[in-house]
Amino acid sequence: MCSVKAIESVNKEDDTQWLTYWVVYSVFALAEFFTDILLSWIPLYWFLKVRTLCTDVPYTLFIVLSPHV
């Protein structure tokens, strides 16, 4: 819903923020799709995955990738 509101607003900065979010999300989703069968055999994979995605890693990636988008 926030993505739609950002597109409809006149401010272009929020468009860039949400576009970056969806690009990063898509990259993670595609990487997980192709590597999930192999990575699921690693002990504690699900715990590490949730821990990684629920910490500052997504925000840090957003900050790092923002100037390049």
Side-chain angles (χ1 to χ4, degrees):
M1 186 67 174
C2 291
S3 298
V4 174
K5 287 182 182 180
I7 292 172
E8 292 176 348
S9 72
V10 294
N11 186 4
K12 296 298 178 194
E13 185 174 309
D14 58 356
D15 295 351
T16 304
Q17 176 185 357
W18 282 104
L19 179 61
T20 305
Y21 167 79
W22 285 114
V23 167
V24 171
Y25 177 81
S26 300
V27 168
F28 274 109
L30 280 172
E32 183 183 13
F33 178 77
F34 291 111
T35 61
D36 192 41
I37 294 173
L38 298 173
L39 293 178
S40 64
W41 288 95
I42 297 174
L44 300 174
Y45 166 68
W46 295 107
F47 173 74
L48 295 173
K49 176 181 161 184
V50 169
R51 184 171 178 258
T52 302
L53 293 176
C54 293
T55 59
D56 292 336
V57 173
Y59 180 73
T60 304
L61 284 175
F62 171 74
I63 296 299
V64 170
L65 293 176
S66 290
H68 303 292
V69 176

